[in-house]
Structure formats: C-alpha cells, structure tokens
Amino acid sequence: MPLPTPENRLEGDIHIECFRPTRHTVSTWGPDLQHGAPPSALLVRALERHRPRPDTRLTRICIDLLGPVPLTDLEVRTRIDRPGRQIELVVAELWATTPDGTSRAVARGTGWRLQTQHLPDVARTSEPALTPFDPAAEPSDMTLFGLGGYIDTLDWHIVTPLGVPGPSAAWVRARLDLVAGETLTALERLFTVADVANGIGSKLDPAHWLFLNTDLTVHLFRAPDSHAPESRWTGISAETSIGPDGIGMTAGVLHDEHGPLGRITQNVQVRPR
C-alpha cells in the first residue's frame, strides 16, 4: 500500500500530502498501473482527515478514476468545496506526473459530510444480513485466478461462490496497512476492499475478460464499526448486469460484523482480453 514521503503542506485552503506506492498496489489489469482499491482508500483517508468535525460523518463517497493511476509518486490535494454547518462537501484529488512530464489529476474523491444526531429509535435497514463471518473457517484460495498484485494482499472467505446465478458474496480483508505506520480507521478499512465488488459480482472469467470500473459510489446509512479494528473483515455481496454493448453496472451491499451498512455501485466497461 502507499508509503508516505516527508512532504505535507498547505497551499491556501488546499492540504497536500505526498505518497509513494509499493508493488502491493499493482492492478489486476496491467503491471504498470494500480488497482482501484488503494487509490480509493487513500482518497477516503484524505476526505476523513480534512478538517474533521465530531458532529458529522461521511455519508456518500464517490470515487472517479480519471485514468490509469501509475506506480509513481503521488500527491493528494484536499479541500472543502461546500462548507456548511449541517452539510459539507469535501473533495480530494490524486495527482501524478504523466510520462510526458505534465501533472494532472488521475483520481478524484468527493464526500458529503452530514451532521449527525442521536436517534437510535428510528434506526433500521431493508438490506438482508450476510452469512456471519466464521473465524474457524479455512480461508478461500484466490491464487487459482492468477491475478497477483493487490489481490494477493487480501484474505478471502467466499460465502456464495463467484460466478453463480444471483449475487455472490465474500468476507474480505487487507493484510497490509494503507499507509505504513498507521492504523486503519474503520472507513479506510472498508475502502481498502470495496473496489473488489465488481470482481465478486462478475459472472465473467478474468482470465478471458476485462471488466474495468471507472468509479465507485458508496452510500453509508450506518458508520462502520470503529471498535473492532483488529478484525478488519468487510462483507461484500454484489452482482453485475451487462448490456449488449459491453457496458455494465455492479450493485452491491457492504457489511461489517454488525450487519449491512451501505450500498455500492460501479460503472463497468467489459472487453475481451
């Protein structure tokens, strides 16, 4: 996962941090670009840390992958686009230097941050719970897919086999920290794996097909559990629908040990390898 460099500065209202990715971020789709999950989690880290307020939380997070995220030094630039007492919009951009020497944003994260109130009597969810994670179960072997890179940094427990009719589901966790020397927050932990939803929900063999997502949008109706950081497990149930022109959409539900907590969607472009 990305390693920090010493640079950390303010330019006006923009907070800038610099990072250097490791080989553990390598994509499923090519050896010279990053998988979508590490950049997504890095942007969420920035959204969560930028001028935090204890009376608010991030409720809708949208990550747009604006192009291949290279395995080169990166800058995360964070600002508040829409300040407010009850509602704020926070924006984080991931900048990289392209081979021609120009610098541009390669990914963008936006997060609506809403003021919270203590209303336990109205709490409910319409989403069915995922089969509980069984710590005694043998981990699932994902090496048979031969994907390598980032995928090899994850532990998997398959709940509903991948590729079967209907939604597939798995409990997933990252074995590595997002940033060296830092303990993952509950939200960072969620986003270190959320981007694999399109793989879980796909009915296509990745040895023969590419199904690249250009984005992920997560609506969190409940904050992930912050009191059990040692577990790190996230449940994902997902299914992908594909039109006859090779454009698809993954839709799924995210879970922690206490049940469903949000929905995820991803835009997917399908191509033969």
Side-chain angles (χ1 to χ4, degrees):
M1 297 297 179
L3 298 169
T5 69
E7 190 172 1
N8 187 338
R9 67 187 191 274
L10 279 173
E11 291 186 2
D13 292 331
I14 300 175
H15 181 238
I16 299 175
E17 290 183 282
C18 298
F19 297 87
R20 179 166 296 157
T22 73
R23 62 181 178 82
H24 299 298
T25 67
V26 172
S27 172
T28 305
W29 311 123
D32 299 320
L33 65 153
Q34 293 190 50
H35 190 281
S40 299
L42 198 61
L43 289 169
V44 167
R45 174 185 177 275
L47 296 174
E48 189 174 29
R49 290 170 179 240
H50 190 68
R51 299 182 184 176
R53 289 171 43 190
D55 63 332
T56 66
R57 72 170 176 88
L58 290 164
T59 59
R60 190 233 60 181
I61 297 167
C62 184
I63 306 295
D64 287 303
L65 301 170
L66 306 177
V69 180
L71 296 165
T72 56
D73 287 2
L74 303 166
E75 281 190 355
V76 179
R77 306 179 183 182
T78 314
R79 65 186 187 273
I80 294 179
D81 253 19
R82 192 274 193 194
R85 185 175 60 85
Q86 296 193 59
I87 300 173
E88 292 184 328
L89 181 64
V90 192
V91 177
E93 292 181 335
L94 197 63
W95 284 66
T97 300
T98 59
D100 64 3
T102 60
S103 182
R104 69 176 182 88
V106 293
R108 179 184 299 116
T110 58
W112 283 107
R113 198 155 59 187
L114 272 59
Q115 190 178 55
T116 60
Q117 287 190 6
H118 185 63
L119 298 172
D121 292 341
V122 300
R124 65 175 299 276
T125 175
S126 60
E127 307 292 355
L130 190 60
T131 301
F133 169 71
D134 180 4
E138 286 292 320
S140 303
D141 182 10
M142 297 297 287
T143 59
L144 59 92
F145 287 96
L147 300 177
Y150 160 79
I151 296 298
D152 283 351
T153 71
L154 305 179
D155 289 327
W156 295 78
H157 282 275
I158 303 300
V159 176
T160 306
L162 310 189
V164 301
S168 295
W171 288 98
V172 191
R173 71 175 177 181
R175 292 194 299 272
L176 303 178
D177 291 333
L178 175 63
V179 174
E182 290 184 2
T183 299
L184 286 163
T185 69
L187 193 60
E188 290 168 3
R189 187 169 69 242
L190 183 72
F191 274 84
T192 58
V193 298
D195 190 74
V196 304
N198 66 319
I200 290 173
S202 177
K203 311 305 180 195
L204 300 174
D205 185 344
H208 303 291
W209 294 93
L210 304 174
F211 35 93
L212 295 85
N213 61 296
T214 60
D215 67 300
L216 63 152
T217 299
V218 174
H219 286 264
L220 294 171
F221 52 80
R222 177 173 64 80
D225 180 18
S226 60
H227 300 295
E230 70 283 351
S231 74
R232 295 190 174 189
W233 291 98
T234 295
I236 303 174
S237 56
E239 186 169 19
T240 300
S241 300
I242 304 170
D245 56 0
I247 305 300
M249 184 197 73
T250 296
V253 181
L254 303 175
H255 308 251
D256 64 10
E257 284 92 338
H258 299 291
L261 55 85
R263 275 199 159 267
I264 181 171
T265 58
Q266 295 168 288
N267 198 30
V268 180
Q269 185 182 55
V270 178
R271 294 290 185 272
R273 277 193 183 272

